């Protein structure tokens, strides 16, 4: 019933469906980082970050490269940066619409 592409998209977006995973991707969009760097930047527990990185790795969204005792994470496909930017633009459009509706309601009261 569903095509392979539709299933891929569903699985891909499911893997993105967590605020911490999105934030990790935003950080990795700025450049490769170790787990410790990500934890520090997020002020988050190591187990939470590791768990979310594991989900992203399992879906081939990020890759980890061993450098000595550290694992450095990076985006598997830099086009993900574009996807995050498009999501930001959609959010901004929704916000603009909500503000416009609020101003219209406020004007009528």
């Amino acid at each position: 019933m569903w095509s392979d592409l539709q299933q891929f998209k569903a699985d891909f977006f499911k893997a993105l469906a967590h605020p911490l995973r999105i934030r990790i991707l935003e950080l990795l969009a700025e450049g490769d980082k170790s787990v410790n760097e990500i934890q520090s930047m997020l002020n988050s527990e190591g187990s939470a970050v590791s768990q979310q990185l594991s989900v992203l790795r399992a879906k081939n969204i990020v890759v980890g490269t061993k450098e000595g005792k550290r694992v450095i994470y990076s985006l598997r496909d830099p086009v993900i940066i574009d996807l995050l930017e498009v999501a930001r633009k959609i959010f901004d459009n929704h916000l603009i619409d909500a503000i416009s509706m609020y101003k219209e309601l406020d004007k009528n009261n």
Side-chain angles (χ1 to χ4, degrees):
M1 180 173 167
W2 303 111
S3 75
D4 290 341
L5 178 58
Q6 290 167 328
Q7 188 62 53
F8 170 82
K9 288 178 181 179
D11 292 341
F12 179 80
F13 283 114
K14 209 180 297 180
L16 299 181
H18 192 284
L20 185 54
R21 289 195 288 264
I22 296 294
R23 187 63 188 120
I24 289 169
L25 293 176
E26 290 171 342
L27 291 175
L28 293 177
E30 298 169 2
D32 301 352
K33 297 186 177 33
S34 70
V35 176
N36 289 339
E37 289 172 312
I38 295 168
Q39 284 173 225
S40 176
M41 295 172 99
L42 295 175
N43 292 323
S44 185
E45 295 177 16
S47 61
V49 169
S50 293
Q51 181 181 19
Q52 301 311 327
L53 281 167
S54 177
V55 171
L56 294 170
R57 242 188 0 256
K59 294 298 181 184
N60 291 315
I61 297 171
V62 301
V63 293
T65 307
K66 194 123 169 116
E67 287 186 6
K69 293 182 179 182
R70 299 182 333 153
V71 177
I72 304 298
Y73 286 91
S74 59
L75 299 175
R76 182 177 179 276
D77 188 334
V79 174
I80 290 171
I81 297 168
D82 298 335
L83 177 66
L84 294 172
E85 183 57 33
V86 168
R88 175 61 186 235
K89 288 177 183 176
I90 292 169
F91 171 81
D92 290 347
N93 291 341
H94 282 276
L95 189 59
I96 290 167
D97 290 346
I99 290 170
S100 295
M101 286 184 348
Y102 175 76
K103 286 181 178 177
E104 191 63 33
L105 285 172
D106 192 44
K107 189 168 45 171
N108 292 331
N109 288 329

